[in-house]
Amino acid sequence: EGAEHLAAALQVNSSLTELNLACDRIGDKGAEHLAASLPVNTVLVKLHLRDNPISKAGAAHLVAGLQAN
């Protein structure tokens, strides 16, 4: 749920260039929400997601979001 709200904020972000979400227990659903914001957000340059329980499925969403950015 937290990642969903964060993803909504990222869609309207115009100044944040780096976001550290390492060790924040973001799972596949959170990764999917974050991925949906990536094509819209044009200023975020670094997104740190180290040590989160994101599986290959969640990673695939992130890759798709990055490719659409």
Side-chain angles (χ1 to χ4, degrees):
E1 183 177 306
E4 183 176 3
H5 295 294
L6 183 57
L10 284 174
Q11 289 184 1
V12 296
N13 169 53
S14 62
S15 59
L16 185 69
T17 60
E18 185 170 353
L19 183 59
N20 187 346
L21 298 174
C23 304
D24 282 339
R25 297 187 310 225
I26 293 172
D28 290 337
K29 195 65 169 172
E32 184 176 356
H33 289 298
L34 291 171
S37 71
L38 295 176
V40 179
N41 186 306
T42 58
V43 296
L44 189 67
V45 178
K46 293 182 181 181
L47 178 59
H48 302 276
L49 292 169
R50 179 181 44 84
D51 293 328
N52 281 293
I54 298 172
S55 73
K56 288 181 182 180
H61 287 292
L62 290 167
V63 168
L66 288 169
Q67 288 175 333
N69 180 290

